[in-house]
Amino acid sequence: MNKLRFLHIPKTAGTTFTNILHRQYPAKRRFELKANLANSLERFAALTEDERSNIALFTGHAPIFTGLDEADSATIVTFLRNPISRVQSFCQHVFEGKSPHLLQRFPPANFSLDEFLESGGHELANVQTKMLINTGNTTSPQLLNQMSPTDARDLALDNLQNRVAHFGLQEYFDESLIIFSSALNWKMPVYFTRNTNKSAHKLEFEKRHLDKIAELNAIDIEVFAHAKETFLKLRNSAKFDENKLKRFHRINNKLVGNLVRVREYFQ
């Protein structure tokens, strides 16, 4: 089994995809890279030699260059998402108190979207570009701030093309799975969407909020536009297995429907 790394960019359907990967790789063959990369490297070094050599899947919120040779040399796959909707999802996540490190500063009881977007938080701005160019620190703006926006965009796209073996788009999740499965010879498992937001209290994004998000993510917007163009060319080409997608939808919908009925029966 070839080594695979899922570069998990936050709020891009990564939890659902990680669950799919877990169906492909046994627990003893998986290793999660945390945002605290130094701690992750220590955990990996603490494994026995046999345990380290047995790892075939690396997941987690770590940038494209981790400093861990086994992960950096693995086949890399990732998902991208429209930057505006990605940040909206992140804001909702924080509003619901699901980001412990931000809970004290932005408690749900008096959460202000305007204040949050003006806070200068590294997780609000060009996260996809950062994760495609950074070494070690997931959302640090240090490297990006040393470059022109054009150079940062070009480096992110170069890494996406030449270091990432296959990428998908959250907006085309099933199509992305077909591309991955065809390239990596996977059996496609049934999946439930994870981390779906069902909150009764939705943040309301007005034009000024969306304009601010666009301002903060100008580089990500360019990177995503180029990536989407490349993805859709593959999706609409003869290389894409349209019949496999149709079979997958039939099987997945049937299995999910059966599982839902079983759950309802036992409730």
Side-chain angles (χ1 to χ4, degrees), residues 162-174:
N162 296 309
R163 290 195 60 86
V164 174
H166 311 284
F167 72 89
L169 302 183
Q170 185 263 0
E171 294 84 351
Y172 294 87
F173 188 77
D174 287 357

Side-chain angles (χ1 to χ4, degrees), residues 76-80 160-161 164-169 176 179-180 224 226-232 234:
I76 300 175
V77 297
T78 193
F79 270 89
L80 303 180
L160 187 65
Q161 179 179 351
V164 174
H166 311 284
F167 72 89
L169 302 183
S176 302
I179 291 171
F180 292 155
F224 182 78
H226 285 273
K228 183 176 181 180
E229 182 180 0
T230 299
F231 179 88
L232 289 179
L234 175 57

Side-chain angles (χ1 to χ4, degrees), residues 5-6 33 44-45 59 88 91 95 124 126 137 154 172 184 191 195 206 231 233 248-249 263 266:
R5 180 180 170 212
F6 172 41
L33 296 160
F44 189 80
T59 61
Q88 285 180 285
C91 291
F95 168 62
L124 288 167
N126 296 311
N137 195 317
D154 290 348
Y172 294 87
L184 300 170
Y191 77 89
N195 268 5
E206 299 181 13
F231 179 88
K233 283 181 181 179
F248 170 68
H249 281 159
R263 288 183 176 182
F266 286 101

Side-chain angles (χ1 to χ4, degrees), residues 34-79:
K34 305 279 190 178
N36 184 338
L37 201 54
N39 177 265
S40 298
L41 298 181
E42 290 178 4
R43 286 190 295 109
F44 189 80
L47 299 176
T48 67
E49 185 176 346
D50 285 344
E51 287 173 331
R52 290 195 297 270
S53 63
N54 194 46
I55 299 298
L57 173 66
F58 296 89
T59 61
H61 297 306
I64 194 162
F65 300 106
T66 69
L68 181 63
D69 290 341
E70 289 85 348
D72 291 345
S73 62
T75 297
I76 300 175
V77 297
T78 193
F79 270 89

